[in-house]
Amino acid sequence: QVQLVESGGGLVQTGGSLRLACAASGNVSSIYAMGWYRQAPGKQRDFVARVSTDGYTRYADSVKGRFTISRDNAKNTVYLQMNSLKPQDTAVYSCNAETELGPSEYDYWGQGTQVTVSS
């Protein structure tokens, strides 16, 4: 089992910045990648960014150049630095951990944190 706790959401004006954090606990050795997804009201959940244990990062086209994902292995925490925020970035942001234990793979999710960008 892996538990994920997000923090750092809030209200910001267009062009502003926020940093989200996701702290993992439990069977953290089973995690091989962590990432962020977001879901706006009435829309499906979309991929935002991902970082693997070997440091490889991947971003959605809509956030490239504005968002940066990073991780602190000592703290089992992944961060999402969000700059130049736009109203269309408004969503609930959820942390995701991809785990592998033997032949089984399983995704864990945090409870989500609200990010609101005002115009």
Side-chain angles (χ1 to χ4, degrees):
Q1 291 271 349
V2 171
Q3 295 78 42
L4 303 173
V5 178
E6 300 113 329
S7 60
L11 173 65
V12 66
Q13 291 186 334
T14 295
S17 298
L18 282 174
R19 189 175 82 151
L20 306 182
C22 174
S25 61
N27 190 12
V28 297
S29 63
S30 66
I31 298 174
Y32 64 87
M34 293 183 71
W36 292 93
Y37 288 71
R38 66 186 182 186
Q39 186 168 22
K43 295 188 176 182
Q44 67 180 19
R45 183 165 59 191
D46 290 329
F47 167 78
V48 176
R50 177 184 185 268
V51 59
S52 62
T53 51
D54 58 4
Y56 178 77
T57 58
R58 184 165 60 91
Y59 296 92
D61 288 343
S62 58
V63 306
K64 281 181 182 176
R66 299 188 299 124
F67 291 11
T68 302
I69 191 169
S70 62
R71 73 185 196 280
D72 184 333
N73 289 333
K75 296 182 179 179
N76 296 314
T77 299
V78 65
Y79 303 95
L80 185 68
Q81 178 66 44
M82 305 185 294
N83 299 328
S84 303
L85 282 161
K86 307 174 183 179
Q88 51 264 46
D89 294 318
T90 295
V92 174
Y93 284 70
S94 296
C95 179
N96 166 265
E98 300 171 44
T99 69
E100 184 177 56
L101 196 61
S104 301
E105 296 182 346
Y106 192 78
D107 281 10
Y108 290 89
W109 295 90
Q111 80 285 358
T113 185
Q114 177 69 47
V115 171
T116 302
V117 185
S118 63
S119 57

